[in-house]
Amino acid sequence: AVQMAQNEGIELGPDHLELLRALQEYFSKHSDKPQVNARELHDALDEKFHSKGGMKYLYVLLPKGPVAQGCRLAGLAVPPGAIDRSFGSVQ
């Protein structure tokens, strides 16, 4: 993750790692589903990080999208539909 983030111009800090762990935890808790729902993941992240500013805060950490870029950095499959300007990704 560190190398991938550096290649994307991001130096991972504690807040980034908290986000990556949150993504991994979400995927782990929803492993019974065939695919993670990108909208539900987006909403869960917004709620989890609400006290820090929600999705606005997460976009500061990962400007290419906390869902799409975050999943890639966390070693997770990007949910279908996550690479979309209206949805947690600006790629």
Side-chain angles (χ1 to χ4, degrees), residues 43-61:
D43 293 345
L45 290 174
D46 192 34
E47 183 177 328
K48 179 167 181 68
F49 292 93
H50 178 76
S51 65
K52 294 183 177 186
M55 291 308 284
K56 282 181 137 180
Y57 165 74
L58 297 178
Y59 270 100
V60 171
L61 295 177

Side-chain angles (χ1 to χ4, degrees), residues 1 23 27 29 35 51 54-55 57 59-60 62 64 70 73 87:
L23 287 164
F27 271 71
K29 287 182 178 179
Q35 291 182 352
S51 65
M55 291 308 284
Y57 165 74
Y59 270 100
V60 171
L62 298 177
K64 292 185 179 177
L73 294 177
F87 206 89

